[in-house]
Amino acid sequence: MDTGATSFEGHLVAAQFGDETGYAMLWRELNPPLLRYLQVAAAGAAEDLASETWLQVVRGLKEFRGDEAGFRSWLFTIARHKAHDWHRQQGRRPTAPLDDVATAAIQGTDNTEESAIAAMGTQAALKLIASLPPDQAELLILRVVAGLEVADVARIVHKSPGAVRVGTHRALHRLRQLLADDVFERTYAPEVVTL
Amino acid sequence: MKLLRNAKWWSSVLRREMPPPTFRRRSVEPTDFHQLDQLVATGTVPAGLDSDWEAVSEVLRDAKAPAVPAELTGETAALSSFRRAQIGVPSRRPHQRPRMLSAFITGKLAALALCTTAGVGTVATAAYANALPTPIQGLAHSAIGAPAPHESSDHADGPVVAPASPPPSSHRPEITVSPTHHSEPPRPTETHSSHPATQTGSTETKTSADVGPLSLCLAYHAAVEHHTALAAAMQARLVTFAGGTENIVAFCTKLLTPILRPTATHSETHVSATPTPAEHPITTSVAVGLCNAYRHGTLPTQYIGRLNELAGGADHVAAFCAAMPTPTTGPEPTHSSAPPTEPPSSPVH
């Protein structure tokens, strides 16, 4: 854990000094969760908003002072603002049309069976989470996928830590309920094999 | 097959119409709190929770599964943006205008970069050797040889570099000051042996690779900007200068930043200490280089405004460039020849 944090922050400092490798390491580590967050928070614009988020990170990188948690918080704060701006422009509530994203993710892989299945599993999980009320889905993604602590999430979404915990727990209960409703369908899904 | 069955059983939920929200609004029992926190943190069902939470934990694990290749396909573009930012190329802020002096120097660098990437080795070398005015070479020298004569962080926070609209405070998390971030920038390399001054008098064959680190970095900048590759010989030489491929960006940033982004102090000092004739080579080379690129349709958008300024307006660019010499044999090596058509320009404000 310590070594991971140290190496992340080493990459962060390197990137702040203009080192491309350092920046690449940050990007590889955080672009997947960023994309996943945006797929839930702004389905249909995830790729574009992720690029815009990274652009803003690059602009402010030299001025950033903080550790790994601070950087993650900063990144997802920017992404959240991008998602909100996007929704304002779209004039509609978040929806969950993740099929295109899932298909693209699978087609974009090297088509080994494992990675296709992995992509399918991740995208299906995101789609399920996206079917939760938007506030709850966001909390769950920020906690689980972005790996942020309660206090960090609270700052990002402008809620109290207690409200974040309760909201996250509600999301879990809803998820459990959703899955329990399908308890008799816990069977092998044949169309997955065709992927 | 086990993977399929285990990981995907709940995907059947997704295949059917989502039911209307029939959930009962249930309060979260306080006794759940720590266990659910644990579930979120670890992705595994802690002791004390029902086994049907396994399904939830499986969804959470899938949601944070390792990256799939499709999520990493944008890396090239992301690194390109990063590189541009390091060299000082604005990504999407066309409204921001650089200050006059730095704009001039940028134009100068553009001309050099264009020359070098065009593969005209003699042009590049001649421009490099003769056209750099003393203050700029001094800056380059200090950037190459002397370890950080001015704090690089000062440059990074300088007025030219500062984003036009820095992230508002609401976009910034609370951050802790970490003084180690100001640690020593990349160590100086052995570039002193290949300083421009030593190359000026060189009798070696002037190939495209036979140029100094500054020209190489400019060529690298231009190549990055045009999404092309650096010539192999130049690449190899640059790797040598930088002390490794992975150091190129840091090396070139260190080299170019003081020139691209002089602080107010440096600008004033060097400009006021420079006799006006030194301005002519800058303007000449800028004009020749920009016009050459303009003719070939390879002028980067960020320099179009510069050319317009030099020409005295967008309408005059064609006539202005028609009067410029075509640098097939390189720019005039004599630093005293300024083109008569050159409009008056004042880099100092």
Side-chain angles (χ1 to χ4, degrees), chain A residues 50-84:
Chain A
S51 297
E52 288 180 23
T53 301
W54 282 111
L55 270 182
Q56 191 162 334
V57 165
V58 165
R59 282 180 209 145
L61 189 58
K62 283 192 166 64
E63 296 155 32
F64 174 82
R65 297 290 179 270
D67 56 8
E68 175 176 359
F71 187 81
R72 283 176 180 265
S73 296
W74 182 41
L75 181 77
F76 283 93
T77 302
I78 295 171
R80 187 170 192 265
H81 282 271
K82 300 281 181 202
H84 280 204

Side-chain angles (χ1 to χ4, degrees), chain B residues 11-99:
Chain B
S11 69
S12 60
V13 173
L14 302 172
R15 296 199 312 277
R16 62 169 212 184
E17 285 296 307
M18 274 300 164
T22 58
F23 314 105
R24 300 175 298 279
R25 182 165 289 281
R26 49 189 293 177
S27 60
V28 178
E29 308 91 297
T31 49
D32 279 345
F33 256 57
H34 290 293
Q35 285 140 333
L36 291 184
D37 282 346
Q38 233 176 308
L39 174 61
V40 168
T42 64
T44 57
V45 181
L49 283 184
D50 291 344
S51 60
D52 60 351
W53 282 101
E54 274 298 341
V56 176
S57 75
E58 196 175 311
V59 172
L60 299 187
R61 283 198 300 272
D62 272 355
K64 62 175 177 182
V68 296
E71 292 170 322
L72 299 171
T73 51
E75 180 171 334
T76 308
L79 293 184
S80 175
S81 297
F82 180 75
R83 247 174 266 138
R84 285 164 168 257
Q86 299 313 305
I87 305 290
V89 181
S91 293
R92 293 187 189 177
R93 283 174 292 142
H95 58 279
Q96 190 190 32
R97 299 180 62 82
R99 285 155 57 208

